[in-house]
Amino acid sequence: MKFKSVFDIIGPVMIGPSSSHTAGAARIGRVARDLFGRQPDWAKVHLYGSFAETYKGHSTDVAIIGGLLDYDTFDERIKTSFEEAEKVGMSFEFIPEIGHVDHPNTARIVIGDKDSEMSMMGISIGGGKIEITELNGFPLRLSGNHPAILVVHEDRSGCIANVANCLYKYDINIGHMEVSRKEKGHMALMVIEVDQNVDREVMDELRKLPNITQVTRIAD
């Protein structure tokens, strides 16, 4: 097995005790917060496999809540994230599940407020690395290691070209892109990993494109 860096072996700088159960969990929570775009009022966290079995002893629970509060993996406030969540008025619930999943360290996070809600599934694959595998019912593959744009759109010809041309206009290079849909001619999702953070001007222009329903981003 080849490793790209020493961090692939020892994991990231983090609050312990486990890179997969703590750092990875915090990153899953933080990506969910990024995709939701704001502080949620409530969270329901469904845990599967070893996450469900050891989430209290390995601090998976406080790590996910810390991520939802936008704390990085090394932020000392993760240790008191339950208390911090109470201060900002975010309620939360952990639900251990017994259903089969493809990966043992799996969490489905459902978050929301008075305006909307969002469901996201993520897995912690070791060394603090994660993969997002589902968003609001759409299957996807997103590492969270790079800036990314997620575009919900109607399944119409020209949508992908319009988004790509907009990014080209602002000299934003696409590193990886996937498109999925639930049904032909209905809603679809573009997942685009890019080489640099995308600013508000670009996001606003993407939202104005024809047949675009929603645009969110993950910053580096």
Side-chain angles (χ1 to χ4, degrees):
M1 182 180 293
K2 295 182 179 179
F3 296 94
K4 294 181 179 179
S5 76
V6 67
F7 293 106
D8 292 342
I9 304 172
I10 65 173
V13 177
M14 63 175 192
I15 303 300
S18 165
S19 62
S20 60
H21 284 236
T22 311
R27 293 195 64 212
I28 290 171
R30 199 176 189 198
V31 169
R33 156 72 178 250
D34 282 348
L35 291 175
F36 193 61
R38 56 192 181 275
Q39 179 67 60
D41 289 342
W42 56 265
K44 293 184 178 180
V45 183
H46 302 261
L47 300 170
Y48 300 84
S50 62
F51 266 7
E53 296 168 1
T54 64
Y55 71 96
K56 292 182 178 179
H58 284 183
S59 300
T60 303
D61 48 3
V62 295
I64 288 177
I65 297 304
L68 290 173
L69 293 171
D70 203 27
Y71 299 163
D72 209 335
T73 55
F74 53 79
D75 196 316
E76 290 285 341
R77 292 176 295 176
I78 285 178
K79 296 176 181 178
T80 57
S81 63
F82 285 5
E83 292 81 0
E84 299 299 327
E86 185 177 356
K87 290 178 183 177
V88 301
M90 184 182 78
S91 62
F92 55 87
E93 177 184 4
F94 288 92
I95 307 167
E97 303 283 6
I98 59 174
H100 172 74
V101 289
D102 293 333
H103 194 280
N105 298 332
T106 298
R108 179 184 296 278
I109 300 178
V110 184
I111 53 179
D113 58 18
K114 62 181 178 61
D115 295 318
S116 63
E117 68 176 63
M118 184 195 82
S119 172
M120 188 200 83
M121 180 171 280
I123 60 177
S124 177
I125 59 178
K129 294 186 176 183
I130 67 168
E131 187 172 293
I132 306 305
T133 59
E134 184 182 300
L135 178 66
N136 290 337
F138 287 102
L140 70 152
R141 186 181 61 189
L142 181 66
S143 69
N145 293 327
H146 308 284
I149 309 165
L150 286 82
V151 182
V152 180
H153 62 97
E154 295 180 27
D155 185 24
R156 299 287 187 271
S157 62
C159 281
I160 296 173
N162 287 339
V163 170
N165 286 333
C166 179
L167 297 179
Y168 170 75
K169 173 183 173 182
Y170 289 94
D171 197 29
I172 297 173
N173 189 52
I174 297 173
H176 177 79
M177 181 175 183
E178 291 186 2
V179 182
S180 61
R181 62 186 181 185
K182 296 181 180 178
E183 187 178 347
K184 181 180 178 180
H186 291 266
M187 299 307 294
L189 173 69
M190 287 181 236
V191 180
I192 308 168
E193 289 189 339
V194 294
D195 290 344
Q196 66 259 47
N197 287 326
V198 179
D199 62 28
R200 185 180 299 275
E201 181 183 3
V202 180
M203 297 291 289
D204 289 342
E205 187 161 335
L206 288 170
R207 293 185 178 105
K208 294 176 183 177
L209 294 174
N211 300 311
I212 301 299
T213 303
Q214 183 181 5
V215 183
T216 58
R217 64 182 171 180
I218 299 174
D220 193 4

